[in-house]
Amino acid sequence: MRLVSTKNKNITCCFQDALFTPMPSDGGLWFFQKIEKMDDEFLNNWMSMTLPEIGFFIFRHFDPEKEISDSALAIVCNKAFNFPLKVKKLSDKIVVAELFHGKTMAFKDFGARFLAGMMQHFNRQIHIITATSGDTGSAVADAFCELTDIPVSILYPKGMVSNVQEAQMTSQGDNVTAYEVATTFDVCQDMVKKAFLDDEINKGISSANSINIGRLLGQVFYYFMIVKETLLLTDKKEIIISIPSGNVGNITSCVIAKRLGLPIKLMIGACNVNNCFATYINSNKFELKNVVRTYSNAMDISRPSNLERLKIIYDNKKFGNDIIGYTTTDRTTLDVIRLFAERYKYIMCPHTACAADALLSNFDDESIGIIVSTAHYIKFNNTVEKALRKKTEIPKSIETLLKAQKKKISIEADYDKFKELFMNRMNILIK
């Protein structure tokens, strides 16, 4: 598999090297040298495949040289994708794709587990460092906590993640260190990117958020399952899919899936008021804004990293008829949660509500609409209860989790201070 830098196509590497060095030396991101349509054999048979099988064939499509053997690849896919993906029909026109049936109840379990499996297979000495707006940290902490020989450092913005998300990040194994940073996700991400360009510490570190091509690729596979399960529920053949969009890795994965041959008519980048991405989609102009805290905190991002990859796919031109952007306010988020609970007896998280609002506002009678549900509502229960104006039942497992002792290091948004703490942590682990 040959990957190129988004900033300079003359800088290339293989998949294994990109896993462990997720940012090229020029500060870009690794991306596929080319995305070609899947062969006819796959496109004629994927509707009968399982998710691990789909993942196997798509990965092999990008990796015909076999950096990883068929047997090892099958093991990684089967172990990573050992939990269900469910598509539920709400009406003749709307389905919801639930990506939250993994252990941390969010869509990032798919990509994080695939990435962890690949890293375990290639077995290099590594220290994971990643920034999160919430669910990435939870999924990464869970995916790597049993891989005790791989230390993990997670940076998350103080006061801008949910109680459940924070508990999932801060109550894992001794190899997971959580840093609560007094800033926004964008600044946390800047600190991580700075670490990758810092020659004093960048040897032997890698990332597990969607700047890592392994995490991103692990999310491409489930779009085939989403569309497969949707087509089995309806006679409609045209598909509109609405995707909560924060760091834009999820919709980038969907675009890749479409380029591989997945039949999708339209993708909607559903944003909250931190809508730099939606604005860019609709105007082809990027306007940086200060981050505003919202109910859909995982989307509180103003500089989405994966926009760089989307620009490469579309050759820095407008997204044509493929993608549109849409913005949902907090007030509307609450209204939509309440609307779906009353009309369809279905409770959704605030991020899913943004996707639902975007779909309802950009729909046609000829299509089936898919709402991508990225997290279980219980992870954002305070917001859901506010919308429904009543209490919801909290699972005992979540009650136990919230009572667990939190292990975290609170710091200011100071890269040098973080670097000092990080180096001390590395020295302790080496000893």
Side-chain angles (χ1 to χ4, degrees):
M1 184 187 300
R2 296 310 300 173
L3 300 161
V4 300
S5 170
T6 52
K7 293 187 182 298
N8 184 345
K9 291 185 178 180
N10 293 319
I11 299 177
T12 69
C13 77
C14 63
F15 177 73
Q16 181 181 165
D17 287 343
L19 276 185
F20 294 98
T21 309
M23 286 185 65
S25 57
D26 61 359
L29 296 175
W30 294 119
F31 201 54
F32 305 109
Q33 195 170 41
K34 55 185 177 180
I35 303 175
E36 296 181 334
K37 196 172 182 179
M38 296 290 291
D39 61 33
D40 289 342
E41 182 178 0
F42 175 85
L43 294 176
N44 290 332
N45 292 288
W46 64 273
M47 284 285 290
S48 63
M49 293 181 185
T50 64
L51 181 56
E53 289 170 338
I54 288 170
F56 178 94
F57 283 105
I58 292 177
F59 187 90
R60 186 57 74 228
H61 174 74
F62 282 112
D63 179 40
E65 299 87 4
K66 295 192 176 182
E67 283 187 59
I68 178 173
S69 69
D70 285 349
S71 58
L73 176 58
I75 290 171
V76 170
C77 290
N78 282 307
K79 186 176 180 180
F81 309 129
N82 63 353
F83 55 94
L85 181 161
K86 298 181 181 180
V87 176
K88 294 183 178 179
K89 187 175 182 180
L90 302 186
S91 74
D92 289 339
K93 298 179 180 179
I94 300 173
V95 302
V96 58
E98 295 181 343
L99 302 181
F100 53 70
H101 293 284
K103 192 173 176 182
T104 73
M105 301 180 292
F107 78 101
K108 293 181 180 178
D109 284 324
F110 289 96
R113 289 176 60 82
F114 180 75
L115 178 65
M118 281 293 179
M119 286 184 162
Q120 184 180 33
H121 167 76
F122 288 118
N123 194 30
R124 289 193 195 178
Q125 187 173 356
I126 197 70
H127 188 136
I128 299 295
I129 172 174
T130 196
T132 181
S133 56
D135 285 328
T136 288
S138 302
V140 168
D142 178 71
F144 284 88
C145 70
E146 294 181 2
L147 306 181
T148 55
D149 57 337
I150 302 180
V152 177
S153 293
I154 300 169
L155 286 75
Y156 68 94
K158 181 179 181 179
M160 299 183 74
V161 301
S162 75
N163 292 337
V164 174
Q165 288 172 324
E166 184 177 46
Q168 289 175 330
M169 285 185 276
T170 59
S171 60
Q172 294 289 357
D174 291 338
N175 64 317
V176 178
T177 304
Y179 294 87
E180 178 190 56
V181 189
T183 187
T184 64
F185 166 79
D186 290 306
V187 176
C188 289
Q189 184 164 251
D190 286 343
M191 292 170 69
V192 169
K193 288 182 176 180
K194 194 170 182 177
F196 284 114
L197 299 175
D198 187 333
D199 289 338
E200 286 192 73
I201 64 171
N202 65 5
K203 300 299 186 291
I205 66 172
S206 186
S207 177
N209 71 1
S210 59
I211 67 172
N212 193 310
I213 193 68
R215 236 289 305 279
L216 191 74
L217 182 57
Q219 295 173 188
V220 173
F221 314 144
Y222 59 61
Y223 278 103
F224 282 83
M225 283 299 292
I226 289 173
V227 172
K228 167 189 169 178
E229 296 300 322
T230 299
L231 292 175
L232 292 174
L233 293 174
T234 177
D235 293 330
K236 296 178 184 291
K237 300 301 180 185
E238 292 191 337
I239 290 174
I240 297 175
I241 187 164
S242 185
I243 304 169
S245 300
N247 209 25
V248 195
N250 210 0
I251 197 167
T252 300
S253 298
C254 189
V255 170
I256 295 169
K258 182 173 181 178
R259 290 296 174 103
L260 292 174
L262 188 64
I264 298 175
K265 176 183 177 181
L266 176 69
M267 292 164 280
I268 306 173
C271 297
N272 59 30
V273 294
N274 298 293
N275 62 351
C276 294
F277 176 58
T279 301
Y280 179 82
I281 293 172
N282 295 333
S283 68
N284 209 34
K285 294 180 181 179
F286 189 81
E287 298 179 6
L288 187 62
K289 300 178 181 179
N290 292 327
V291 172
V292 177
R293 185 174 179 178
T294 73
Y295 294 136
S296 46
N297 69 281
M299 295 152 61
D300 292 348
I301 297 170
S302 66
R303 287 178 277 123
S305 292
N306 286 288
L307 180 56
E308 197 167 325
R309 286 175 169 135
L310 281 177
K311 289 179 179 179
I312 294 296
I313 296 174
Y314 290 95
D315 196 22
N316 287 304
K317 298 174 184 176
K318 290 196 71 172
F319 299 149
N321 297 321
D322 278 0
I323 311 174
I324 60 172
Y326 192 80
T327 302
T328 298
T329 65
D330 266 359
R331 180 175 179 177
T332 301
T333 297
L334 297 180
D335 290 342
V336 171
I337 292 172
R338 187 163 52 252
L339 171 69
F340 273 74
E342 294 173 351
R343 182 178 296 177
Y344 302 113
K345 309 302 180 187
Y346 189 85
I347 303 177
M348 58 180 53
C349 84
H351 310 80
T352 307
C354 290
D357 181 44
L359 180 69
L360 294 177
S361 302
N362 296 278
F363 203 52
D364 64 66
D365 290 336
E366 304 303 317
S367 304
I368 183 73
I370 302 173
I371 300 166
V372 174
S373 183
T374 49
H376 193 290
Y377 74 84
I378 204 68
K379 298 188 78 170
F380 310 93
N381 200 45
N382 290 341
T383 298
V384 171
E385 288 183 344
K386 184 173 184 178
L388 300 181
R389 299 166 184 162
K390 64 180 182 181
K391 292 290 184 179
T392 61
E393 184 177 350
I394 301 177
K396 288 185 178 180
S397 60
I398 297 298
E399 289 183 344
T400 301
L401 175 68
L402 292 174
K403 293 175 183 177
Q405 181 181 0
K406 293 183 176 66
K407 297 179 293 183
K408 62 183 179 181
I409 299 174
S410 299
I411 61 173
E412 298 297 318
D414 183 329
Y415 174 74
D416 290 333
K417 180 61 177 176
F418 165 71
K419 177 180 175 180
E420 179 184 351
L421 292 168
F422 181 77
M423 291 179 72
N424 288 339
R425 173 69 171 156
M426 289 182 71
N427 290 333
I428 291 171
L429 291 170
I430 290 172
K431 292 176 181 178

